[in-house]
Amino acid sequence: MIQILHNPRCSKSRSVLKFLNEKGLEVEEIRYLDQPLSANEIRNILKKLNIKPLDWVRKNEELFKTQFKGKQLNDDEWIDILANNPKLIERPVVINGNKAVIGRPLEKILDII
């Protein structure tokens, strides 16, 4: 089953979910803002994405700009920040087994479905 880290208020997230549904795929929505991911879940997804925690941070988010921009933090510190501030997680993320992509642009999803 395909999973999507989904924010229903985000137009990009909604368009990716619609795309997956139109492909006839069974999709599990993970509403990470309602039920934040644990640090271990974040580590697991980062491995599937094959990126560093800082590369998963929404850098245009006001919270990032006011509290974290320019700070020299290690990966574990960024993982804790993402676990405690899920709105900083770049979305949408589509997970298929051991692979995951950030669905921006939407066509990146084709690499894992």
Side-chain angles (χ1 to χ4, degrees), residues 80-102:
D80 286 341
I81 289 167
L82 291 172
N84 290 310
N85 302 279
K87 70 189 270 181
L88 289 176
I89 293 175
E90 186 65 68
R91 62 186 179 263
V93 172
V94 176
I95 304 164
N96 188 5
N98 290 323
K99 297 180 182 179
V101 293
I102 298 171

